[in-house]
Amino acid sequence: MSNCVTGGVHYDLLIVGGGINGCAIAREASLAGLKVLLVEQDDLASHTSSASTKLIHGGLRYLETYEFRLVREALHERERLLAAAPHLIRPMTFVLPHAHAVRPWWMVRAGLWLYDMLAGRSSLPRSRSLHATDTAFLGPLAGDHRGFVYSDAWVDDARLTLANALDAAAHGAEIATRTELTSAVRSGNVWWAMLSDGRAVEARGLVNAAGPWVRTLLNKLSIATPSQVRLVKGSHIVVPKLFEGDHAYILQQPDRRIVFAIPYEDEFTEIGTTDIAVERPEDAICSQEETQYLCDAVNRYLIRKVSPADVVWTWSGVRPLHDDGAAKAQTVTRDYLLELDEDGSPLLSIFGGKITTARALAEEAIEKIGPALGIEPRPRTRARVFPGGAIAGFDLHLEHVLARWPFLGEERARRMARAYGNLLGEMLGDVEDEAGMGTTLGAGLTEIEARWMHDREWALTPDDALFRRSKLGLHLSRAERDAFARWWSATFV
């Protein structure tokens, strides 16, 4: 790459935002040979990208708003991602009861047929009707239900974001968390930027992947743009397990929304989401009204009832949707817009997007900004496996893990095999017994894994480790979390 004006550390591309879009673009750009710096004011995936419904899906309900291109792209990306990260992404069966339906049977059936057609040649089963023999699916439902069964996929959203960052770093990208862009100005063909860690840097191009803060960053840069962002909050609640099995439910609501009930962390059920227009990214808090709405949503369908008193955890994410003028928050497009400002050194701003289409978004981003940086656009990640994903199917991988490190036990082996894939071998190496794992920290977490999170995965705080690199904080008592925080502070001073 050609050099630019001196005066600070030089990069080809400065990316602001360590969510799924920023990390995916960092991956694509570094594989293209660009020298990349990604800055994130908090932790990787610390906001919207760890607060999703945790699905890799086409978006069945988007067919109702005629977003056929988005659904087709998302379904094709679903197939790619299942192959690229089989440790982090797994197929999931969804049961769609037709009780309390606000859409006629034929419409739902036609929508599922179209969903299958848009998916093309998929490794997942096609949709079908719910049968009387589907006792595992029918058992948890109150009443005698007709309905449908279809397939999508579940994802560890925070770790998929991390996997993008790991692949980017492996190809030369610098990932700087807890680092804010404090100012940036154009000077000729470069951006001169100041960072909160005191560094002055130069970059030939700038990517605004700040998510809900996309407009805030544009204002800081004094960049005018016709595009607007619509901030829509989606909240989820977690309750003790409401049903047995690995399947999920998609439940139609009287307001025409749908709510998912999804198995979560073995012992729990995740319920979500909502669509609430908000003014600020900081409004990502699950309200009492949302909690009650989600409880009512599942109580319409399931035998086992739930109340706000049963909620053990909540999360909310603010989606930075491209404002297409839709009247209701639930009908705002989930498609993305990439806006390139070439008045001097290029600035690419990301409006919208979803975790399923982040790889495709990143590919398009480099197509847009790449020519200004001397890069010939071409696909680089369509068939590329993520770090940890080079396994011959998850079940065979788990068998290998249990055979090689039997002292882990089946529950912990499954969790770690899911989280790290074939990178688990690098972490454990020649460890032969429990003692070799170091200090026991609770819920199966040991010193060797906690150090890996810190040293290899940019985890800088206890919450980074317990609620984003893992969800082990959900399995620890308050006293155990406090003890872990003391160990972390004493270890990583």
Side-chain angles (χ1 to χ4, degrees):
M1 301 301 149
S2 61
N3 291 323
C4 64
V5 180
T6 60
V9 179
H10 167 67
Y11 297 91
D12 293 311
L13 194 62
L14 172 58
I15 300 171
V16 181
I20 186 64
N21 289 335
C23 290
I25 294 170
R27 179 187 187 222
E28 197 83 28
S30 62
L31 285 165
L34 295 175
K35 184 177 181 181
V36 175
L37 170 62
L38 181 147
V39 296
E40 162 56 46
Q41 63 183 352
D42 295 309
D43 182 28
L44 297 177
S46 56
H47 298 288
T48 309
S49 295
S50 62
S52 73
T53 309
K54 309 190 189 312
L55 299 180
I56 296 295
H57 65 142
L60 180 62
R61 70 184 181 89
Y62 306 151
L63 294 176
E64 203 164 33
T65 50
Y66 310 110
E67 297 196 74
F68 304 126
R69 189 212 66 80
L70 173 63
V71 173
R72 183 182 183 279
E73 178 182 71
L75 288 170
H76 284 252
E77 287 301 304
R78 182 188 69 182
E79 195 69 14
R80 289 191 177 106
L81 291 168
L82 281 164
H87 56 312
L88 300 176
I89 301 169
R90 61 180 183 269
M92 181 169 278
T93 299
F94 289 79
V95 179
L96 198 170
H98 198 63
H100 310 291
V102 293
R103 301 165 182 85
W105 172 275
W106 68 263
M107 181 181 293
V108 180
R109 178 66 270 182
L112 287 167
W113 176 85
L114 180 57
Y115 201 63
D116 290 338
M117 293 302 102
L118 290 171
R121 299 182 61 180
S122 172
S123 61
L124 300 184
R126 291 183 177 270
S127 61
R128 62 174 177 82
S129 295
L130 190 58
H131 299 149
T133 54
D134 291 321
T135 53
F137 301 160
L138 293 168
L141 295 172
D144 183 18
H145 290 296
R146 295 192 306 162
F148 307 93
V149 178
Y150 74 98
S151 296
D152 262 320
W154 185 93
V155 63
D156 185 329
D157 51 5
R159 291 201 67 86
L160 183 62
T161 304
L162 173 67
N164 277 275
L166 287 169
D167 208 13
H171 290 83
E174 180 183 345
I175 309 296
T177 62
R178 267 73 186 197
T179 304
E180 185 178 355
L181 177 73
T182 57
S183 65
V185 294
R186 279 174 165 139
S187 177
N189 294 321
V190 297
W191 285 94
W192 292 60
M194 289 296 300
L195 307 180
S196 60
D197 61 8
R199 284 189 290 170
V201 301
E202 302 172 19
R204 294 196 295 136
L206 179 62
V207 172
N208 176 4
W213 289 271
V214 60
R215 168 57 60 186
T216 303
L217 181 55
L218 286 168
N219 291 340
K220 179 184 287 189
L221 300 175
S222 300
I223 300 294
T225 171
S227 299
Q228 298 297 322
V229 65
R230 188 93 164 261
L231 300 181
V232 178
K233 178 178 63 165
S235 294
H236 301 75
I237 61 175
V238 176
V239 300
K241 185 188 294 186
L242 295 178
F243 54 89
E244 299 296 328
D246 295 329
H247 62 282
Y249 291 95
I250 173 172
L251 308 172
Q252 300 182 72
Q253 301 303 315
D255 59 3
R256 298 191 66 83
R257 297 192 66 261
I258 55 96
V259 169
F260 291 97
I262 302 172
Y264 192 67
E265 288 291 304
D266 297 326
E267 303 171 20
F268 306 98
T269 299
E270 165 202 344
I271 303 168
T273 184
T274 58
D275 284 298
I276 307 292
V278 295
E279 295 298 321
R280 308 176 309 142
E282 293 79 12
D283 293 331
I285 300 171
C286 182
S287 68
Q288 292 181 351
E289 292 78 12
E290 287 174 291
T291 297
Q292 188 63 61
Y293 173 89
L294 294 172
C295 289
D296 293 343
V298 294
N299 288 342
R300 289 187 180 94
Y301 287 87
L302 299 184
I303 292 172
R304 190 174 299 176
K305 305 304 180 185
V306 64
S307 75
D310 298 312
V311 175
V312 298
W313 192 35
T314 69
W315 69 79
S316 296
V318 173
R319 313 176 190 101
L321 305 180
H322 174 232
D323 191 351
D324 61 355
K328 294 182 179 179
Q330 70 194 63
T331 58
V332 179
T333 182
R334 266 48 176 182
D335 211 343
Y336 54 82
L337 174 73
L338 308 184
E339 186 174 271
L340 183 62
D341 182 326
E342 294 185 282
D343 184 15
S345 49
L347 165 67
L348 183 69
S349 296
I350 314 300
F351 294 85
K354 56 202 293 283
I355 197 163
T356 305
T357 54
R359 190 217 62 82
L361 181 153
E363 183 178 296
E364 186 177 335
I366 298 305
E367 286 177 1
K368 278 187 172 289
I369 201 170
L373 304 176
I375 291 297
E376 180 182 350
R378 64 177 178 81
R380 291 177 171 84
T381 56
R382 292 184 183 181
R384 183 175 177 81
V385 174
F386 282 101
I391 58 177
F394 181 75
D395 291 341
L396 286 175
H397 173 56
L398 180 58
E399 287 181 17
H400 165 74
V401 170
L402 283 167
R404 177 63 186 85
W405 301 285
F407 59 86
L408 291 175
E410 185 164 352
E411 181 179 335
R412 182 167 54 172
R414 181 179 297 276
R415 177 186 67 78
M416 296 181 76
R418 280 279 178 211
Y420 305 105
N422 68 312
L423 293 180
L424 189 59
E426 290 186 33
M427 180 196 298
L428 299 184
D430 295 327
V431 172
E432 296 295 341
D433 53 29
E434 185 70 26
M437 302 282 283
T439 306
T440 298
L441 301 170
L445 179 63
T446 60
E447 181 177 353
I448 196 170
E449 184 178 4
R451 286 185 179 277
W452 177 277
M453 293 174 178
H454 178 273
D455 297 345
R456 300 283 293 269
E457 296 182 347
W458 300 283
L460 298 181
T461 73
D463 276 2
D464 294 352
L466 294 181
F467 290 101
R468 282 181 288 277
R469 304 308 180 274
S470 74
K471 296 296 181 288
L472 291 172
L474 195 55
H475 302 277
L476 296 172
S477 67
R478 173 59 64 85
E480 288 172 321
R481 291 197 298 271
D482 289 344
F484 176 78
R486 289 193 296 272
W487 176 87
W488 186 276
S489 297
T491 304
F492 304 118
V493 177

